[in-house]
Amino acid sequence: MGVYAITGGSSGIGAKTVELLKEAGHEVINIDLKDGDICVNLASPEGRQQAVEELHRMHPEGLDGMICNAGVSGACGNLKLIISLNYFGTVALARGVYDLLEKKHGNCVVTASNTISQGAGRMDVADLLNNIGDEQRILNLVDSWDGSNLSVGNSIYVATKYALARWVRRHSASFAANGVRINAVAPGNVNTAMTATMSTNAKMALNALPIPTKYGQETLMDPEEIASVIVFLASPASCGVNGNIMFVDGGTDALLNTEKVY
Amino acid sequence: MRPIERYVEAMENKDFTALGELFTKNGHLCDYCPNGTAQHEYHLYGKEAIAMFFRNKFSFRQYSILEAAIANDTQAEFIASFGGFHVMAIATVQKVSEDGLIERMTVRPK
């Protein structure tokens, strides 16, 4: 059985992924702010470093998979947190355990979002994330922006997720050439603690992103629908899949972007 | 009311449910106007998909029609607004079922 590390495994999609992996007999190390096997704040460079060091200490022989799932929504009201946790918290962990993944020809799965195809992201911010990657300067840039404005928060959220998906694509060939696959899931709106506590306006926006498999139900996706695909991508069964951004949204992306086949 | 008139009414009212109900189960709506914007053209099949799609577009103010005028029994002209980018458009009901529902409609730049 394998050894998998996951960020954000204490709730929502992450918790269900932990459950499925454990049911399959794998060892799972949950890295989260609360209730984790490693409790750190991945929004901070120190927390990320601590998590990477701890994983090296626990499993110097290597990891079979690194699942980077931790993140906050655009409705959290804190633009710096969105940027630091969603983007830098993911990239730092994937890079930090790359040597452990190489040792076991493991893989990495990143949680993006299906919103990346809907044109609402700040592409200038996405470009800064991917092409400059200077966390402090980017945080300084957004410091004066209004995080309490839902559309501003969403535009930054989408930018971080778009940048993550692009980061996966950019690095997938090199990773694979060294025996490490990397893919992303792009979930639709899921019933989690994050979505349960959203404002009325935010919920209205969610319902305006119809989920064809839930047609007429006014409901969101179940975390297990996403977790099962993460587990698949993290398993040897998906050995031919690399650099893929897999939309797991019940068909929302296909509905809104019928002409985008690639 | 003729189907083209009901189509314009639903669009002007941003009534995505009524819009979907104008089409047959497999009704096809193709809109080529987005090609002139930063978007791809729309190809929507089935009344449910049409309703879901326009629920999204109307909610996020990404689609509306302005200055609509019925041209004849099957056509209407209007300015289509794609989130503020305007295209002069002509919508044509190409085919209608026996029970008066739209089987195929095209919207093209004029």
Side-chain angles (χ1 to χ4, degrees), chain A residues 166-181:
Chain A
R166 190 161 57 185
W167 188 86
V168 166
R169 297 279 289 178
R170 286 182 179 183
H171 291 81
S172 60
S174 169
F175 272 42
N178 291 282
V180 179
R181 291 184 300 113

Side-chain angles (χ1 to χ4, degrees), chain A residues 46-235:
Chain A
E46 298 77 19
R48 297 168 205 147
Q49 184 61 32
Q50 189 184 336
V52 168
E53 287 173 1
E54 189 66 13
L55 287 171
H56 279 82
R57 188 191 64 75
M58 292 171 75
H59 287 284
E61 78 284 2
L63 292 172
D64 293 279
M66 177 73 236
I67 298 164
C68 297
N69 170 72
V72 289
S73 81
C76 77
N78 185 337
L79 302 182
K80 289 182 169 181
L81 177 62
I82 298 170
I83 287 172
S84 288
L85 181 60
N86 291 13
Y87 183 78
F88 290 102
T90 293
V91 169
L93 263 288
R95 281 194 187 284
V97 302
Y98 181 64
D99 59 330
L100 296 180
L101 296 172
E102 273 187 308
K103 286 181 179 177
K104 294 183 80 171
H105 285 185
N107 67 80
C108 184
V109 183
V110 167
T111 301
S113 163
N114 75 336
T115 57
I116 61 175
S117 69
Q118 292 159 17
R122 285 282 304 243
M123 289 308 295
D124 52 345
V125 174
D127 288 347
L128 288 170
L129 291 169
N130 284 134
N131 300 337
I132 308 300
D134 185 328
E135 184 174 3
Q136 194 53 56
R137 290 171 84 177
I138 297 169
L139 295 181
N140 292 343
L141 175 72
V142 304
D143 193 30
S144 60
W145 298 359
D146 181 9
S148 65
N149 182 318
L150 190 59
S151 65
V152 173
N154 188 55
S155 71
I156 299 301
Y157 170 80
V158 177
T160 60
K161 294 298 188 178
Y162 189 99
L164 278 183
R166 190 161 57 185
W167 188 86
V168 166
R169 297 279 289 178
R170 286 182 179 183
H171 291 81
S172 60
S174 169
F175 272 42
N178 291 282
V180 179
R181 291 184 300 113
I182 181 164
N183 293 289
V185 289
N189 291 316
V190 178
N191 271 318
T192 64
M194 193 161 80
T195 51
T197 56
M198 279 183 167
S199 67
T200 304
N201 282 346
K203 283 181 180 167
M204 280 177 61
L206 285 189
N207 286 330
L209 289 169
I211 302 170
T213 55
K214 309 287 185 190
Y215 177 72
Q217 298 175 43
E218 294 290 327
T219 188
L220 305 180
M221 296 187 73
D222 188 279
E224 185 161 358
E225 294 179 272
I226 318 301
S228 59
V229 176
I230 292 175
V231 170
F232 164 71
L233 288 174
S235 76

Side-chain angles (χ1 to χ4, degrees), chain A residues 207-210 215 218 259, chain B residues 41 43 48 52 55-56 59:
Chain A
N207 286 330
L209 289 169
Y215 177 72
E218 294 290 327
E259 307 311 291
Chain B
E41 59 201 42
H43 286 273
E48 293 92 350
M52 286 191 287
R55 177 179 185 173
N56 174 269
S59 297

